[in-house]
Amino acid sequence: MVFAAPSLRYAFIFLVSMLVAPAVWAHAHLTHQYPAANAVVDDVSQAITLNFSEGIEPGFSGVTLTGSKQEIIKTQKATRNEQDEKQLIVPLEQPLNPGIYTVDWYVVSVDGHKTKGQYSFSVK
């Protein structure tokens, strides 16, 4: 009986870790973006692209682009790359002027989990 307590404890820890691990990995995390976070770029004239750790649902995902004076920058509807279900593309209506921009993004992964975040970049 003396050895049962540690064995039960290890079994409990193993069981809990197996139940929690899938929930942790079931969200689409931002892995790469263009322009990159905190980057200073010469020009952004066509689109902002966001790459995630898993596939996303474009109908439930989107981006708000804000300028340095807190003005909303018009963009076209965000779409998923036809060749890559992990990439969200946000076409710009016009090239970005010099300044600091903030990207607020939200996505729903293909398994239904919601994720959101924010980053900034600058245009020279």
Side-chain angles (χ1 to χ4, degrees), residues 33-96:
Q33 64 276 0
Y34 176 80
N38 303 315
V40 179
V41 296
D42 291 325
D43 179 46
V44 181
S45 58
Q46 295 182 349
I48 294 171
T49 58
L50 306 174
N51 295 293
F52 295 92
S53 58
E54 62 182 74
I56 55 162
E57 293 290 347
F60 301 102
S61 304
V63 168
T64 301
L65 182 62
T66 308
S68 54
K69 296 177 184 171
Q70 303 305 313
E71 73 279 13
I72 301 292
I73 306 301
K74 284 187 162 186
T75 63
Q76 296 176 22
K77 183 178 178 182
T79 59
R80 185 172 61 188
N81 184 332
E82 291 180 12
Q83 285 79 39
D84 184 357
E85 69 174 10
K86 298 177 182 180
Q87 185 177 68
L88 190 66
I89 301 169
V90 185
L92 299 174
E93 291 198 358
Q94 60 187 32
L96 297 179

Side-chain angles (χ1 to χ4, degrees), residues 63-68 70 100-104 118-121:
V63 168
T64 301
L65 182 62
T66 308
S68 54
Q70 303 305 313
I100 299 171
Y101 294 88
T102 301
V103 177
D104 285 291
Q118 178 184 80
Y119 75 94
S120 296
F121 66 90

Side-chain angles (χ1 to χ4, degrees), residues 3-17:
F3 296 104
S7 296
L8 286 175
R9 182 175 43 196
Y10 292 129
F12 178 75
I13 291 170
F14 176 76
L15 180 62
V16 168
S17 68

